[in-house]
Amino acid sequence: MKAVSDLNGAIKTVFNGKKALIIGDSYNKDNPYGWGYYFKTITGMGNNVTSIQQNGGGFGRVAQTGSDYPNEYYYQAIAHISTSIDFDYIIAQAGRNDAYSPEDTTGAILINGINQFVSVCKTRWANAKIFIFPTNNDSPLDDAHYKFMRLIPETALKNGVVTSFQSFKWFYDTNLNHSDGAHLVSAGYELLAQYIASYIAGRNGILP
């Protein structure tokens, strides 16, 4: 379809010649393909994307074994990346793990984790634009975990970071859910990558 072609062309225009650091939980896992894999293609950035996968982790929850940086929060994981890379974008995706963290009953650990994440980003890559995407903020208002989902965009905004109160899950059919009930199939991760890339493109004034 021409509309899709025009959209993808506009997205590639935004990211042309740019470099990005992306970090996510198991949604960013490259086995078989997480959203980061598709993000590289959709944006056309390819190897200009440095990707971190923190399985089971988040802003306020440490990653599990098998992650790029086990037992570390997001803000600790990104500190491993060299400051010699002049990133244009730093993109973080999180949500479910933070919302269901047994260690954080008040949200204080989550808020601190986001504050620390933004601080590390601004200190190490002062010129980078920071984006934070909560990917599971589709819970009903009466869900006990909803307040934690809200803390992610609310705290991001307080730090002057571009974020979204939307859930990309509102845009797709449930057949994109994995049978385990927590993850997505490949087409779901591709849609997530499209959502993130389009959102950033829109915030750059390229898309309506």
Side-chain angles (χ1 to χ4, degrees), residues 35-91:
W35 70 267
Y37 170 85
Y38 295 104
F39 184 82
K40 294 177 183 180
T41 302
I42 291 170
T43 60
M45 285 196 291
N47 292 332
N48 282 336
V49 174
T50 299
S51 181
I52 300 174
Q53 186 268 320
Q54 294 294 90
N55 184 37
F59 292 108
R61 194 171 185 181
V62 298
Q64 299 172 357
T65 301
S67 301
D68 288 331
Y69 302 103
N71 301 312
E72 292 191 354
Y73 297 106
Y74 275 13
Y75 71 87
Q76 295 171 315
I78 62 172
H80 292 278
I81 307 303
S82 173
T83 55
S84 65
I85 306 175
D86 190 16
F87 292 114
D88 299 282
Y89 300 102
I90 299 174
I91 306 162

